Amino acid sequence: MTEKIINDYIKYLEDIKHLSPKSIKSYLPAIKEMFEYCDFKSLDDIENSDVIVLQGWLNKKKKEGLSSQSINRRIASCKSFYSFLVAKRYISFNASKELKALKIESKGKSADISQINKIRNYVKNEYNNKKSFNNLRNILIVEVLLQSAVRNAELRQLNIDSIKEDGSFTVVQKGGNKKDCCINSKAMEIYNKYIEERNKIKAKDDALFISSYKTRISSKGLEKIIDKITTATGKRLKVHDIRHT
């Protein structure tokens, strides 16, 4: 029974939630651990379970020294699994609804207003000193990151026609969900200037942001750009840090 339900759950994550194999793999150990601790051997066992049973499992893991982040991953896995069971009508009662994620103090960095201004001035000065395609590209990269809070992969997925005339665009997030974004009119002035130059370049695909090799900019390439800019303007930041700014 356990194996069949888990296989059905994997298919649900693939076909309905559109999760990557890596994300799916991260969910399964917690589910199997929950089955073992709670002694779930049938759907009736799960149906008749309550939040006290589930919390007992989490409390045990906490006493074993697991971090709040690890506990929260188990809670997320548990909630996902119970939601699947309810969606498939295997059970009618969702005991995981009462589970509360633990508060975690953010370890991420972000720029303050002073550094944001320095970042914008830095990329503009770089372009004014040398009006190259890459320096113009970097101005637009900074504006898109600051205004839309997209991830590294989300920025790199943008194509020439992704940003509309009104500054709106859509990215596909982790898990397949779509996020609507927008940049302001000043950023659109930069975009229009950039796209005019970008259209002159015969790249290997329609990527909006390309490297010196005329290929879609890589994850490491984007991080290298942001590393250089932020190191020169104060606190060293990654693309994900810009997302939290």
Side-chain angles (χ1 to χ4, degrees):
M1 188 283 300
T2 301
E3 186 176 348
K4 181 183 183 305
I5 291 177
I6 289 180
N7 287 336
D8 285 350
Y9 177 54
I10 292 172
K11 188 168 178 58
Y12 168 81
L13 295 178
E14 290 173 341
D15 298 343
I16 306 300
K17 293 300 183 179
H18 306 293
L19 296 188
S20 67
K22 184 178 178 180
S23 296
I24 293 171
K25 189 177 180 180
S26 70
Y27 276 67
L28 298 182
I31 300 304
K32 292 177 180 178
E33 182 183 283
M34 178 185 68
F35 266 73
E36 183 177 349
Y37 175 85
C38 299
D39 199 27
F40 291 155
K41 292 185 171 62
S42 68
L43 283 171
D44 285 339
D45 292 338
I46 301 173
E47 175 78 64
N48 295 325
S49 64
D50 56 35
V51 68
I52 295 174
V53 173
L54 298 177
Q55 193 63 59
W57 160 53
L58 298 171
N59 289 344
K60 179 176 182 293
K61 303 312 294 184
K62 192 172 183 179
K63 287 180 181 178
E64 290 175 359
L66 263 65
S67 66
S68 295
Q69 191 171 9
S70 295
I71 298 297
N72 284 347
R73 280 200 295 267
R74 283 165 170 76
I75 291 173
S77 299
C78 179
K79 284 180 175 288
S80 170
F81 182 69
Y82 269 78
S83 294
F84 149 73
L85 293 175
V86 172
K88 294 286 286 185
R89 298 187 179 180
Y90 285 141
I91 63 173
S92 58
F93 175 67
N94 187 345
S96 72
K97 274 190 173 183
E98 299 300 318
L99 293 175
K100 304 294 183 185
L102 303 178
K103 289 184 179 180
I104 299 176
E105 186 176 342
S106 176
K107 295 181 181 178
K109 295 183 291 184
S110 63
D112 55 23
I113 295 298
S114 174
Q115 187 173 6
I116 291 172
N117 291 333
K118 288 178 181 177
I119 287 170
R120 283 183 162 131
N121 288 332
Y122 176 85
V123 291
K124 288 176 184 176
N125 288 336
E126 286 285 289
Y127 178 70
N128 289 333
N129 292 333
K130 183 181 180 181
K131 288 184 166 53
S132 68
F133 172 80
N134 284 353
N135 284 340
L136 180 59
R137 175 203 63 194
N138 293 350
I139 296 176
L140 184 59
I141 284 175
V142 164
E143 287 305 319
V144 173
L145 287 174
L146 286 173
Q147 294 187 34
S148 62
V150 291
R151 295 179 172 88
N152 184 313
E154 293 165 358
L155 181 120
R156 292 187 296 104
Q157 72 186 232
L158 295 177
N159 291 323
I160 290 175
D161 60 353
S162 293
I163 299 179
K164 310 305 179 187
E165 289 184 5
D166 62 355
S168 64
F169 61 98
T170 302
V171 295
V172 180
Q173 298 179 299
K174 292 191 296 185
N177 295 323
K178 292 183 177 181
K179 174 185 175 181
D180 293 325
C181 305
C182 192
I183 54 176
N184 65 23
S185 58
K186 287 187 178 181
M188 279 304 296
E189 290 177 11
I190 299 167
Y191 169 79
N192 290 331
K193 188 175 182 179
Y194 171 77
I195 203 70
E196 186 177 343
E197 297 302 317
R198 170 65 184 86
N199 284 330
K200 296 176 183 177
I201 299 174
K202 291 184 179 180
K204 294 185 178 179
D205 62 23
D206 291 333
L208 178 60
F209 296 116
I210 56 175
S211 69
S212 300
Y213 300 103
K214 299 180 181 180
T215 58
R216 188 178 299 270
I217 196 166
S218 67
S219 176
K220 288 184 178 179
L222 180 57
E223 291 292 354
K224 189 175 180 180
I225 291 170
I226 297 303
D227 182 276
K228 179 185 176 183
I229 293 169
T230 57
T231 300
T233 56
K235 191 186 299 181
R236 184 179 184 180
L237 302 170
K238 295 182 178 180
V239 173
H240 199 76
D241 300 324
I242 299 292
R243 170 176 159 79
H244 290 289
T245 295

